[in-house]
């Protein structure tokens, strides 16, 4: 199958996903058809919004086709639904643009942002356009929505400072450049391993998919955990992700240096080589 149009595989092998991770020229059409079936079903009349991650994070660093979000935007407009973009993971420069939606020129009605917003200080925000926020009811004297740390002055000051740094240092452009380099380095080092089914991502949001064998593309979650531990022993912190738990997820800080990215690629390659050798010996 062909890779997603908006995805940058580091080498020519693309993993076959179970639904809903379809590939090929009909991926968007099939995905939109799935959404339409839900909206046309018995519960459709009670649905007022669609929430989407522009690029899946914990789902395995899955970059959709370039026409997917625009098609979803059109669907929401045609059916008078709100489009909500969860950019808590992808936002504020992570994918090489300020927002992942910017890659395809889609403006959601509501944007969810957090984590990076405070530069390490806990804060999040829900930003909506006039149409979306006009639905917020007028207070009758009691707070409609609140929690203990709502609008905390220190958190808001931290968010303003973090935004100033992101803009002043153009971190989105930095993530785009370093992300391309990291994908290239991982691709050149990992392409020789039959247990690496795919290397993908945008900006500094990269996933390495591990499989039992590239010919079968069967997810190998045990291998992913073993690689994660081997990386830890070498001083590199990575996580596993994906529906099957077989993706090594990389989301380094946007201030990572080229040298650090190079070392990380070497460590991951060494970890995969070691674990693959150990598994082969055990099977023998």
């Amino acid at each position: 199958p062909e890779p997603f149009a908006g995805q940058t595989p580091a080498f020519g092998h693309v993993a076959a996903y179970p639904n809903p991770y379809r590939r090929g020229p009909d991926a968007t059409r099939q995905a939109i058809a799935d959404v339409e079936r839900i909206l046309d079903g018995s519960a459709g009349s009670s649905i007022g919004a669609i929430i989407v991650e522009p690029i899946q994070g914990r789902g395995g660093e899955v970059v959709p086709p370039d026409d997917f979000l625009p098609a979803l935007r059109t669907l929401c407009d045609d059916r008078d639904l709100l489009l909500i973009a969860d950019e808590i993971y992808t936002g504020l420069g992570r994918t090489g643009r300020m927002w992942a939606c910017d890659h395809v020129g889609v403006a959601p009605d509501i944007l969810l942002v957090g984590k990076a917003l405070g530069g390490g200080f806990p804060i999040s925000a829900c930003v909506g356009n006039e149409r979306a926020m006009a639905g917020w009811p007028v207070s009758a004297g009691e707070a409609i929505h609140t929690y203990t740390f709502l609008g905390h002055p220190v958190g808001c000051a931290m968010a303003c400072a973090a935004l100033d740094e992101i803009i002043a240092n153009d971190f989105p452009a930095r993530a785009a450049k370093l992300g391309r380099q990291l994908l290239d380095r991982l691709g050149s080092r990992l392409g020789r391993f039959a247990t690496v089914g795919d290397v993908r991502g945008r900006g500094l949001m990269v996933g390495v998919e591990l499989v039992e064998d590239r010919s079968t593309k069967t997810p190998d979650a045990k291998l992913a955990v073993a690689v994660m531990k081997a990386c830890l022993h070498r001083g590199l912190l990575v996580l596993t992700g994906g529906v099957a738990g077989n993706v090594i997820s990389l989301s380094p800080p946007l201030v990572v240096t080229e040298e650090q990215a190079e070392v990380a690629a070497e460590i991951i390659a060494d970890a995969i080589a070691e674990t693959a050798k150990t598994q082969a010996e055990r099977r023998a």
Side-chain angles (χ1 to χ4, degrees), residues 23-270:
R23 303 292 177 109
D26 291 334
T28 289
R29 181 186 61 78
Q30 293 175 16
I32 295 299
D34 283 345
V35 177
E36 289 179 325
R37 275 193 290 272
I38 295 172
L39 294 174
D40 292 335
S42 58
S45 61
S46 65
I47 297 174
I50 293 176
I51 304 176
V52 63
E53 285 186 286
I55 298 174
Q56 282 195 324
R58 298 301 295 144
E61 285 68 39
V62 179
V63 184
D66 281 344
D67 61 346
F68 172 68
L69 285 177
L72 202 59
R73 173 75 274 179
T74 298
L75 174 66
C76 288
D77 291 340
D78 290 345
R79 293 179 178 254
D80 197 28
L81 303 173
L82 294 178
L83 178 61
I84 302 174
D86 179 355
E87 295 240 25
I88 291 174
Y89 197 130
T90 58
L92 296 170
R94 168 61 56 188
T95 68
R97 298 291 294 270
M98 183 61 80
W99 310 107
C101 287
D102 291 343
H103 287 286
V104 291
V106 167
D109 297 297
I110 296 176
L111 181 74
L112 308 181
V113 57
K115 298 182 189 298
L117 179 61
F121 195 92
I123 189 172
S124 60
C126 178
V127 184
N129 59 25
E130 184 176 358
R131 175 197 175 209
M133 301 312 286
W136 201 266
V138 177
S139 173
E142 183 177 353
I144 298 171
H145 175 72
T146 186
Y147 54 92
T148 305
F149 301 109
L150 179 67
H152 193 287
V154 176
C156 292
M158 289 287 290
C160 288
L163 287 170
D164 287 343
E165 287 296 307
I166 291 170
I167 294 170
N169 293 283
D170 199 0
F171 281 139
R174 177 181 175 79
K177 176 184 176 182
L178 291 177
R180 287 191 296 268
Q181 293 175 352
L182 181 57
L183 278 171
D184 288 343
R185 286 165 177 159
L186 287 171
S188 65
R189 288 161 176 76
L190 305 185
R192 69 182 189 274
F193 296 114
T195 53
V196 176
D198 194 14
V199 179
R200 56 176 176 264
R202 260 188 176 156
L204 289 174
M205 182 177 177
V206 176
V208 177
E209 185 172 18
L210 299 177
V211 294
E212 291 181 2
D213 186 87
R214 195 175 294 146
S215 61
T216 62
K217 300 172 185 175
T218 303
D220 195 335
K222 290 183 178 179
L223 177 60
V225 171
V227 170
M228 177 183 69
K229 292 179 178 178
C231 286
L232 178 60
H233 292 155
R234 289 167 169 77
L236 178 66
L237 294 173
V238 299
L239 295 174
T240 59
V243 173
N246 66 313
V247 178
I248 298 297
S249 300
L250 308 176
S251 54
L254 303 190
V255 295
V256 66
T257 65
E258 292 185 25
E259 292 77 14
Q260 289 169 333
E262 176 72 25
V263 170
E266 290 292 346
I267 288 176
I268 293 170
D270 289 345

